[in-house]
Amino acid sequence: MIRINPHYQKLQASYLFADIAQRVRAFQQRRPDAGLIRLGIGDVTEPLPPACVAALHAAVDELAQADTFRGYGPEQGYDFLREAIARHDFQARGAQIDADEVFVSDGAKCDVGNIQEIFATDIRVAIPDPVYPVYVDTNVMAGRTGAAVQGRYQGLVYLPCTAANGYVPQLPDQPVDLIYLCSPNNPTGATMTRAQLQAWVDWARAAKALILFDAAYEAFIRDDGLPHSIYEIPGAREVAIEMRSYSKTAGFTGLRCAYTVVPRDCMAWCDTGEPVALHGLWTRRHTTKFNGVSYPVQRAAEAVYSPEGRQQTRALTDGYLRNAQAIRAGFQALGLPCTGGDNSPYIWVDTGRDAWAFFDLLLDKAAVVCTPGAGFGRCGQRHVRISAFNSQANVEAAMQRIARALA
Ligand code: MLT
């Protein structure tokens, strides 16, 4: 008799965004002419940068010719992309990351979900609350938690992120082996300062713990004082793995390209207490289970670093940030406290009422989709997340409708 992985039965209902999609589908069936505007899931709406499109076309042409055709590429990514990443995203900021520490993949979500399989099942995992649900659910699937009780899984250490702490997780007051940090944060839009990240790095070194640093929204940082990478922090190479993505940086949500950095100094420990380099383990996992990102897509990612690509992706993210500021100003004018939106495409709104009730209100009265904060954790029960990923015209229309709906 084939039996299922019993840990899947602990998972709460459906994945958050699938749940929302179902409610939105039902609304569209009821009101097909409502002119729905989606500020829910963080999916980009603007076309690819022309530099990336040109690189894609050229790479497809190469594959069409016998003398330039390529088959399987290296699982970890082509050198041309790994070198561009190391140089532009890290070394240019004073972070010592080498090309062979970069693992190119098809998504930060996949990487952040998969990486936990190289750790023991009985490690203690800390999760900020609210949090991107993938961090939690993949640990549930792997059997690192007990059952969910009132929306929280037994065995996980939850670090509340509230207005009182600026939505930044505080160091744990109990033993923890693995912590997920995300800055600029999904869902709150809060960013971590250099001093805050340094405190986490120092803690991880003392605790022999590991930080999984999700920097998928790094391209939205405009404040020069904020770190873009955890490797800008002294000591981080030994205790941090960082994930990045081209999805939001360059509109690649449909194209798929991201990467994970595993420095060679980054260690975990085996049962005998011997240190083991995570670089080797991740190489083993990646080469066994992944075939690499397609050649044209890696060429498109490389084009992000060309002079035109840099200018075009900056214009893209600037546009979304203008939306974010309009959204934040709109909610603040309605008297609802907000965070995020300055160095982030997400705005976290304290609605002062039940998150799903507010979601339904915006859907029914304004035909606007947001994301109920309750889906990101108990601390989000009164909040919604508004995404700035849409056209300027749609964001303006949405904010006018929301103002009328809440008047
Ligand atoms: C989100 O809306 O949180 C993101 O789109 C999720 C993701 O990038 O996977």
Side-chain angles (χ1 to χ4, degrees):
M1 181 174 64
I2 176 75
R3 292 168 57 239
I4 63 160
N5 173 347
H7 304 302
Y8 274 63
Q9 290 181 303
K10 297 175 198 159
L11 290 167
Q12 294 303 286
S14 58
Y15 181 60
L16 171 65
F17 294 108
D19 208 358
I20 294 169
Q22 202 178 359
R23 288 190 189 217
V24 170
R25 262 195 309 276
F27 172 81
Q28 282 183 303
Q29 274 162 10
R30 280 198 316 276
R31 297 190 34 206
D33 302 324
L36 189 80
I37 298 176
R38 293 174 192 273
L39 304 179
I41 190 164
D43 192 4
V44 294
T45 55
E46 304 308 300
L48 291 169
C52 299
V53 175
L56 271 173
H57 282 300
V60 171
D61 287 344
E62 279 184 61
L63 297 185
Q65 301 295 328
D67 56 342
T68 48
F69 174 78
R70 297 173 187 238
Y72 288 126
E75 291 93 344
Q76 299 94 323
Y78 283 101
D79 286 346
F80 63 78
L81 180 55
R82 299 174 89 194
E83 279 161 15
I85 290 168
R87 195 164 58 249
H88 293 281
D89 286 348
F90 298 100
Q91 292 161 12
R93 294 192 173 277
Q96 283 320 306
I97 293 298
D98 291 330
D100 73 352
E101 296 175 319
V102 175
F103 295 78
V104 177
S105 78
D106 61 350
K109 169 172 157 179
C110 314
D111 287 352
V112 85
N114 290 327
I115 193 102
Q116 50 74 31
E117 77 172 60
I118 65 174
F119 307 119
T121 310
D122 59 357
I123 56 166
R124 292 155 298 191
V125 180
I127 303 275
D129 177 356
V131 77
Y132 181 43
V134 174
Y135 311 157
V136 177
D137 288 1
T138 52
N139 278 290
V140 175
M141 291 169 176
R144 280 195 193 91
T145 73
V149 178
Q150 292 177 341
R152 282 191 168 175
Y153 290 97
Q154 291 174 324
L156 288 183
V157 175
Y158 288 89
L159 305 176
C161 298
T162 62
N165 57 25
Y167 297 98
V168 171
Q170 308 296 291
L171 299 178
D173 57 7
Q174 55 185 297
V176 161
D177 305 306
L178 180 68
I179 166 77
Y180 290 78
L181 296 177
C182 176
S183 180
N185 189 262
N186 180 11
T188 67
T191 46
M192 294 180 76
T193 64
R194 217 167 270 280
Q196 285 164 338
L197 266 186
Q198 184 73 64
W200 274 104
V201 167
D202 293 346
W203 164 85
R205 290 166 66 89
K208 290 189 168 174
L210 185 81
I211 300 169
L212 290 182
F213 188 68
D214 183 347
Y217 299 93
E218 165 277 334
F220 294 87
I221 295 177
R222 292 293 179 274
D223 182 338
D224 288 339
L226 291 172
H228 288 242
S229 164
I230 197 163
Y231 304 118
E232 292 174 51
I233 308 300
R237 278 184 57 87
E238 290 153 45
V239 291
I241 288 176
E242 179 166 317
M243 280 91 183
R244 295 257 190 120
S245 168
Y246 297 96
S247 284
K248 318 292 156 79
T249 306
F252 275 40
T253 54
L255 207 53
R256 311 304 314 152
C257 195
Y259 65 85
T260 287
V261 178
V262 186
R264 288 190 175 275
D265 312 347
C266 199
M267 297 292 161
W269 281 263
C270 61
D271 288 348
T272 57
E274 290 298 305
V276 178
L278 292 177
H279 187 276
L281 285 189
W282 189 241
T283 302
R284 187 71 173 82
R285 191 267 170 211
H286 204 70
T287 51
T288 302
K289 293 196 177 179
F290 189 61
N291 258 341
V293 174
S294 78
Y295 174 68
V297 170
Q298 291 194 58
R299 281 294 184 198
E302 181 194 27
V304 166
Y305 301 101
S306 66
E308 317 77 62
R310 287 159 75 96
Q311 193 205 337
Q312 291 160 5
T313 50
R314 178 79 179 197
L316 256 186
T317 49
D318 276 349
Y320 291 128
L321 280 170
R322 275 195 297 277
N323 289 346
Q325 275 145 26
I327 292 166
R328 185 180 164 130
F331 277 102
Q332 281 175 334
L334 293 166
L336 300 181
C338 298
T339 190
D342 294 327
N343 296 287
S344 151
Y346 295 131
I347 298 90
W348 188 239
V349 184
D350 184 348
T351 68
R353 64 194 100 171
D354 176 74
W356 278 104
F358 194 82
F359 169 91
D360 287 335
L361 185 140
L362 288 200
L363 189 58
D364 287 337
K365 298 264 185 309
V368 171
V369 183
C370 65
T371 308
F376 298 107
R378 190 187 287 172
C379 293
Q381 270 167 347
R382 288 193 338 183
H383 293 76
V384 293
R385 188 195 74 177
I386 311 288
S387 155
F389 292 115
N390 212 314
S391 66
Q392 189 182 342
N394 275 348
V395 166
E396 280 168 11
M399 292 316 296
Q400 283 166 10
R401 290 191 207 165
I402 289 171
R404 280 198 297 275
L406 297 181

